[in-house]
Amino acid sequence: MTCSRQRLAAGLCLLLALPFFLLACGGGSLVPAATPAPASTEAARPTAVSGDTGASPTSRPPASPTQPPPSPTPARGLQFDPPQVSQGGVAVVYLYEDAASATATFGGRQYPMLRDGNRWWAIIGVGALANTGLAPVSVAYTPAGGGEPRSVVQSITITDREFPVEHVELSPETASLLAPDIVQAELAKRAAIFSGYTLQRMWTGPFQAPSSGMLTDHYGVGRSYNNGPVTDYHRGTDFAGEIGAPVYAAATGRVVFTGELKVRGNTVIIDHGAGVFTAYHHLSAIDVQEGELVTAGRQIGAIGSTGLVTGPHLHWE
Ligand SMILES: [Zn+2]
């Protein structure tokens, strides 16, 4: 992370770090960095290897009496799109196996996979503060014809990405909202919401901007409060706007939360399926109900200044 001093802009939100991946939009992009590709093609498939186990001769460990017998796990491997992922980015994991079900595990979090023709896919997210280098992605799956569950492990390379740092001055009253008990309660509430997983992709095409307002703060910007160390980073994208300006659903999905959060203010969270959620914060009005199915572009609320903010804006995760 680089450290460049920035002036505190009006309408900044002071959101705390979350151990979750949401839709991470950096660099001004409003489109997810990776979306599942359409139907698979032969060209995109991994090179076929011979043998019942599918193991490549070059990847087979040398025989040794002290080692356990070779694993029956096929080594056809996983594919990542993109092949490398930067800090704060997302990647699609593909498994090419005839499976009845499959679940990817990355960074301690499980991602149930969805079938697309002859392959399975899931979107994984990398935090802006994630360690760079190789990180293991494992996929456990049940063969379609039955039999013992199998697993494949392959590492993805996480590359470094430079993020600026904002120095934020907080008044004692404002800082009190960042007290650990308040923050932890909000984290727990969100954790419960994001623990839901819909095994269906509900969106089509790129996500839309949730507001016509100007982008004022990007994902991944480091945060130093009252000249303290950088312990946090901005987990969303901020849009400027007047109180009452419309906020739209970025993509089709189901509303899984509406309500007030102490730090994030009035909030709408939409589940788009496949582990992808979008969250809309600091709203002045909420126009949808929990359980409601919303289509892309539908107005779901209005820009406000509820929660911990320095002025009206939309914080979108
Ligand atoms: Zn924000």
Side-chain angles (χ1 to χ4, degrees):
M1 307 255 292
T2 57
C3 184
S4 65
R5 194 165 283 271
Q6 293 192 352
R7 204 181 287 272
L8 175 58
L12 187 74
C13 58
L14 309 171
L15 297 177
L16 278 188
L18 282 177
F20 306 107
F21 162 71
L22 287 181
L23 186 62
C25 288
S29 168
L30 297 178
V31 179
T35 54
S40 60
T41 63
E42 284 300 313
R45 298 183 64 178
T47 306
V49 291
S50 60
D52 289 337
T53 66
S56 163
T58 55
S59 65
R60 190 171 291 155
S64 162
T66 61
Q67 289 184 338
S71 164
T73 300
R76 260 187 270 184
L78 308 174
Q79 280 199 337
F80 305 125
D81 179 19
Q84 299 188 343
V85 62
S86 64
Q87 290 173 320
V90 295
V92 185
V93 179
Y94 291 106
L95 169 74
Y96 288 84
E97 291 291 347
D98 191 12
S101 65
T103 299
T105 300
F106 175 70
R109 190 171 183 203
Q110 291 199 323
Y111 299 82
M113 302 182 85
L114 284 87
R115 184 202 294 272
D116 172 30
N118 66 335
R119 63 183 180 178
W120 293 75
W121 62 272
I123 301 176
I124 58 171
V126 176
L129 301 179
N131 291 329
T132 56
L134 289 174
V137 178
S138 66
V139 171
Y141 66 95
T142 305
E148 292 295 307
R150 297 179 177 180
S151 64
V152 181
V153 181
Q154 196 166 313
S155 290
I156 188 168
T157 300
I158 299 174
T159 57
D160 186 46
R161 181 170 152 195
E162 300 289 319
F163 293 104
V165 170
E166 284 171 333
H167 294 264
V168 179
E169 301 296 328
L170 296 182
S171 68
E173 305 85 69
T174 306
S176 70
L177 269 178
L178 295 174
D181 57 332
I182 293 176
V183 169
Q184 287 307 317
E186 190 158 316
L187 288 177
K189 197 165 197 170
R190 288 172 52 112
I193 296 166
F194 298 137
S195 66
Y197 196 99
T198 303
L199 260 176
Q200 178 195 354
R201 170 182 163 164
M202 300 169 78
W203 78 93
T204 53
F207 281 43
Q208 306 175 12
S211 162
S212 58
M214 196 175 75
L215 264 79
T216 51
D217 203 9
H218 296 290
Y219 171 87
V221 174
R223 287 282 171 81
S224 158
Y225 295 114
N226 295 339
N227 281 323
V230 177
T231 54
D232 189 10
Y233 66 94
H234 189 228
R235 299 290 172 138
T237 303
D238 285 355
F239 294 83
E242 308 259 306
I243 289 181
V247 172
Y248 308 105
T252 295
R254 190 170 298 282
V255 177
V256 289
F257 178 81
T258 62
E260 184 184 356
L261 301 174
K262 280 214 166 62
V263 178
R264 288 171 178 75
N266 292 333
T267 293
V268 172
I269 298 177
I270 299 175
D271 177 5
H272 303 287
V276 177
F277 295 79
T278 51
Y280 309 76
H281 299 293
H282 309 311
L283 303 175
S284 61
I286 293 175
D287 299 333
V288 289
Q289 295 184 328
E290 287 181 15
E292 203 172 325
L293 187 68
V294 293
T295 52
R298 155 92 186 272
Q299 183 171 343
I300 57 171
I303 285 181
S305 58
T306 54
L308 186 53
V309 294
T310 60
H313 71 284
L314 170 67
H315 172 88
W316 183 51
E317 295 190 21

